[in-house]
Amino acid sequence: MPADGERDVPGATLTRIGKRFGAVQLFDGFDLSVGDGEFVVVVGPSGCGKSTLLRLVAGLESPDEGTIHIGARRIDRLPPGERGVAMVFQSYALYPQMTVAQNIGFPLRMAGRPRAAIERAVARACDMLGLSDLAGRRPAQLSGGQRQRVAIGRAIVREPDLFLFDEPLSNLDAGLRARMRREFAELHARLGTTTIYVTHDQAEAMALADRIVLLRDGGIEQHGTPEELYHRPASLFAARFFGQPAINALPARVVQADAEGMEVATGHEGERLVLPPRAAGPLPAGSRVTLAVRPEALAAAPGGGRVRFAPRAVAYAEWFGGERHVGLGTGDGALTWRAMGGPAPETGAAVTLWAEAHDVLVFAPDGQAMASAPLPRV
Amino acid sequence: MKARLAMTALAALFAAITLAPLLWMVAVSLMQPGEAGRFPPPLVPADPTLAHYRALFANQGMGLFLLNSLAISTLATVLALIFTLPAGYAFARLRYPGRDTTVRVLLALLLVPGQIGMLPLFLELKALGLVNSYAGVLVPWLAGIVGIFLVRQYALAIPLDLVEAARIDGASEWRIFRHVALPVMRPAIATLALFVFLGSWNDFLWPLIVLSDHDLYTLPVALAALGRERSQDIELMMAGSVVTTVPVLVLFLALQRQFVGGLLAGSVKG
């Protein structure tokens, strides 16, 4: 374990990675750079290549093209054990016949460290992870959370340059998952080791990441801080990937647009919305766009400069204690409103909602975000 | 409940049918000379005696044949484990070109009856000067296809994550095999060991073909020779049969516990 952050913490760089599986070209010219000590969470739907990415870095798969570096050291030709990476698997992958202490000490034993040094390192890791009382047990005698900690212990004793986590929380129940998530965050704050963490869970990604990398079909759809991806998605795909309940997406048609603003018609009973102009310039009338607004950006109160949505009938209301999810309208015009407090709306009642203009995102026909033009300075 | 009772009764019936000849074998081996030939044949010795066992070891050289059999079966088991375990594991968990083709060819070869190979194998061993030696008896047991396949199937159940975790932990392929795979494969090892030990212990035809020297005979071969010389002496024959059967029965009972699986429990998920 590093001594009080004095250790040099290298980052990782993947350059022009190509990887093909049979007829499927998963990665083609893929680049990713992870900063020193950065906690990067790679997310995406299944099949997007996120697990393969980890396996390439770990050395469990070889890239067809491209290079992988940790700091200045090129690792893509090295066997997994010599790369200076440690990986925590979704299944934990603990050695069943070994005790907790033997599991954690295994990498050091393989490295030929002296027995006394191994015992010291194992004791320190057990102490850090609260496993000291369990050191003599076997994996079968541990709970899911304890097994996960043993897997982490096995990763940290090696003092790797890079941590790789492959969906480490997906086998745990919800409560334990939240607790382990915080433990990961604390562990990272303490060790400062560069980390690539793969998950399909958008909430986990937002809670843990310094930076999120959103993958889609072997390419980076968008990367940035959790806030950037949530509030300024680069595409409709990114907008839809984050947030629960999911972002509202309304298909719409441009009625007219100029330097002053744009007027669009949605599929909801002749609804017309007036939005600020787009930075890329006005779209021709008739263009199909998608409007997107987060459920919590909607409000039942009018305000200066707010966009007004036409009244919609309440379809359902679900109360979660503290917040209420209200479904309004039907078909293409349906909206979900995440309301904080307030009385329960009656089913069938018409409700008018407003949103700040900058919270209503516009996506071009190809799904790319159309940023609003910078506001004129007053 | 009724169904269970019926099942138990059925199992007891089959057990009785299987056990009856074995028990009678033991009973006859303890009878006075000629007693078993009477009609109706007695089930229990009227005046039990160990005379036939004494005769076997004192006059017929049974001790030597027992040692021969023990030596050959033990060697066959050890050698089979040494060759079969790495082969089966490699077919399951290492990636190299031609692996699956090799497995398919081996499986296809299973269809060829072993007897067909005996003459060519004999001629081959003769050319190598291995006829009439332990080595010649052992050759067919070194790496049996069935054994390799058994180990491979078991090794396929070792989670890939476990092997990959060990690779990342810096273990060489040999150490992964030694420290990760072998401990998990204990039930397969026990099964294979028992399988080879029993097979080589009970094997009759191949040692009969290869061994011409009386002093090298294994128990089944010696027993057959004894039967030819002393076909009237049923009690002596039965005593010889008991000596041949009991060691493998003991071995089976000793290893039975190993067949119980569950060693993988807790390694992944759970």
Side-chain angles (χ1 to χ4, degrees):
Chain A
M1 260 141 287
D4 305 310
E6 288 302 308
R7 201 161 63 104
D8 180 35
V9 181
T13 317
L14 287 79
T15 312
R16 304 213 54 76
I17 295 294
K19 179 66 183 171
R20 168 181 286 279
F21 289 99
V24 182
Q25 181 83 39
L26 183 55
F27 291 116
D28 191 9
F30 181 89
D31 292 312
L32 176 67
S33 169
V34 182
D36 304 353
E38 197 179 16
F39 196 118
V40 164
V41 177
V42 178
V43 284
S46 42
C48 70
K50 54 191 192 300
S51 280
T52 305
L53 187 69
L54 273 199
R55 296 172 59 80
L56 286 167
V57 176
L60 301 173
E61 304 280 354
S62 324
D64 301 329
E65 295 157 47
T67 58
I68 303 171
H69 287 80
I70 293 180
R73 203 160 55 88
R74 184 169 172 187
I75 61 158
D76 52 278
R77 300 277 171 77
L78 297 176
E82 293 171 22
R83 294 188 171 202
V85 303
M87 183 155 162
V88 174
F89 292 77
Q90 178 179 0
S91 66
Y92 321 137
L94 302 180
Y95 309 122
Q97 78 285 2
M98 299 184 201
T99 63
V100 167
Q102 286 167 339
N103 261 285
I104 294 176
F106 186 76
L108 302 179
R109 204 172 126 210
M110 291 300 113
R113 301 275 184 85
R115 182 181 292 268
I118 296 177
E119 279 172 12
R120 266 201 310 278
V122 169
R124 211 160 14 162
C126 282
D127 187 42
M128 188 172 184
L129 295 161
L131 291 168
S132 299
D133 295 339
L134 307 171
R137 297 231 193 137
R138 283 171 202 251
Q141 300 165 302
L142 302 177
S143 70
Q146 290 165 339
R147 285 179 202 176
Q148 185 58 267
R149 280 201 197 92
V150 177
I152 294 166
R154 195 173 61 185
I156 63 177
V157 281
R158 309 177 53 193
E159 302 183 15
D161 291 330
L162 183 63
F163 276 133
L164 304 173
F165 290 100
D166 189 7
E167 310 227 6
L169 300 183
S170 45
N171 283 337
L172 300 175
D173 61 60
L176 199 54
R177 203 179 304 160
R179 209 173 91 199
M180 289 303 295
R181 198 165 64 201
R182 279 193 296 282
E183 285 189 25
F184 277 127
E186 282 165 23
L187 196 72
H188 182 252
R190 198 156 152 187
L191 299 177
T193 309
T194 310
T195 303
I196 304 179
Y197 184 110
V198 159
T199 181
H200 65 271
D201 182 342
Q202 52 93 20
E204 207 171 295
M206 289 197 285
L208 278 171
D210 291 333
R211 183 158 61 101
I212 291 177
V213 174
L214 175 61
L215 283 194
R216 181 189 191 184
D217 299 332
I220 295 180
E221 182 80 3
Q222 187 179 4
H223 68 98
T225 65
E227 291 81 4
E228 281 165 359
L229 268 78
Y230 190 76
H231 291 300
R232 289 285 165 260
S235 65
L236 194 55
F237 177 83
R240 281 182 161 144
F241 194 84
F242 295 97
Q244 182 61 39
I247 198 165
N248 292 298
L250 298 174
R253 187 195 304 269
V254 175
V255 177
Q256 66 96 23
D258 55 31
E260 301 297 308
M262 65 194 293
E263 186 183 3
V264 297
T266 72
H268 178 67
E269 293 170 12
E271 181 176 55
R272 298 283 174 103
L273 304 174
V274 177
L275 301 170
R278 298 295 114 182
L283 277 173
S287 304
R288 292 184 176 279
V289 294
T290 305
L291 306 182
V293 56
R294 296 273 174 208
E296 67 274 16
L298 293 168
R306 285 189 169 180
V307 176
R308 177 184 178 278
F309 290 86
R312 284 165 165 81
V314 172
Y316 65 87
E318 296 171 324
W319 193 64
F320 291 96
E323 67 180 63
R324 180 176 276 117
H325 299 173
V326 184
L328 303 128
T330 53
D332 278 352
L335 287 176
T336 307
W337 169 36
R338 189 168 158 198
M340 301 295 164
E346 271 179 48
T347 306
V351 174
T352 306
L353 293 171
W354 281 264
E356 296 291 346
H358 64 84
D359 282 332
V360 181
L361 310 172
V362 181
F363 295 93
D366 64 358
Q368 294 306 301
M370 303 183 69
S372 51
L375 294 175
R377 290 185 180 272
V378 182
Chain B
M1 193 63 205
K2 240 183 195 164
R4 225 177 117 181
L5 213 67
M7 288 296 285
T8 312
L10 204 65
L13 181 70
F14 278 117
I17 293 173
T18 315
L19 278 174
L22 287 174
L23 291 175
W24 199 63
M25 171 182 82
V26 176
V28 171
S29 75
L30 299 173
M31 289 176 189
Q32 296 295 337
E35 188 179 347
R38 265 186 259 150
F39 191 85
L43 293 179
V44 196
D47 181 13
T49 172
L50 288 173
H52 306 296
Y53 290 95
R54 275 196 292 274
L56 274 180
F57 285 93
N59 310 330
Q60 306 294 336
M62 207 58 165
L64 179 65
F65 303 136
L66 185 66
L67 284 180
N68 283 346
S69 269
L70 266 180
I72 284 177
S73 293
T74 308
L75 277 171
T77 307
V78 171
L79 290 171
L81 291 179
I82 288 174
F83 288 105
T84 311
L85 288 171
Y89 171 76
F91 280 133
R93 279 288 168 255
L94 299 187
R95 286 197 284 187
Y96 55 90
R99 181 186 75 176
D100 295 342
T101 314
T102 321
V103 172
R104 275 195 290 275
V105 169
L106 284 179
L107 282 179
L109 287 177
L110 272 182
L111 296 174
V112 181
Q115 287 79 355
I116 288 181
M118 282 186 174
L119 183 61
L121 187 60
F122 179 79
L123 296 174
E124 202 179 322
L125 293 184
K126 199 174 167 196
L128 292 169
L130 293 177
V131 166
N132 198 26
S133 72
Y134 278 3
V137 181
L138 289 172
V139 164
W141 295 104
L142 295 186
I145 299 174
V146 177
I148 290 174
F149 195 64
L150 176 95
V151 175
R152 172 182 177 264
Q153 291 313 99
Y154 205 88
L156 281 176
I158 301 173
L160 208 53
D161 278 0
L162 221 53
V163 175
E164 294 187 332
R167 279 189 192 136
I168 294 176
D169 283 346
S172 64
E173 292 302 328
W174 168 253
R175 298 184 93 170
I176 294 172
F177 173 68
R178 173 72 195 80
H179 295 289
V180 178
L182 275 192
V184 173
M185 291 201 297
R186 263 166 62 185
I189 298 171
T191 310
L192 178 69
L194 192 72
F195 178 80
V196 174
F197 194 93
L198 285 181
S200 55
W201 183 274
N202 291 331
D203 192 17
F204 171 65
L205 194 53
W206 183 246
L208 183 71
I209 294 172
V210 173
L211 300 175
S212 48
D213 206 336
H214 191 265
D215 285 348
L216 292 177
Y217 276 8
T218 60
L219 280 173
V221 180
L223 200 62
L226 186 69
R228 279 194 300 275
E229 289 166 27
R230 313 276 299 264
S231 57
Q232 300 307 306
D233 210 339
I234 303 174
E235 294 79 11
L236 186 71
M237 287 297 300
M238 287 301 134
S241 301
V242 170
V243 173
T244 309
T245 322
V246 164
V248 288
L249 259 178
V250 170
L251 180 78
F252 181 79
L253 292 177
L255 282 181
Q256 207 178 22
R257 227 166 52 88
Q258 293 291 331
F259 297 124
V260 184
L263 274 170
L264 278 176
S267 68
V268 294
K269 284 204 226 173

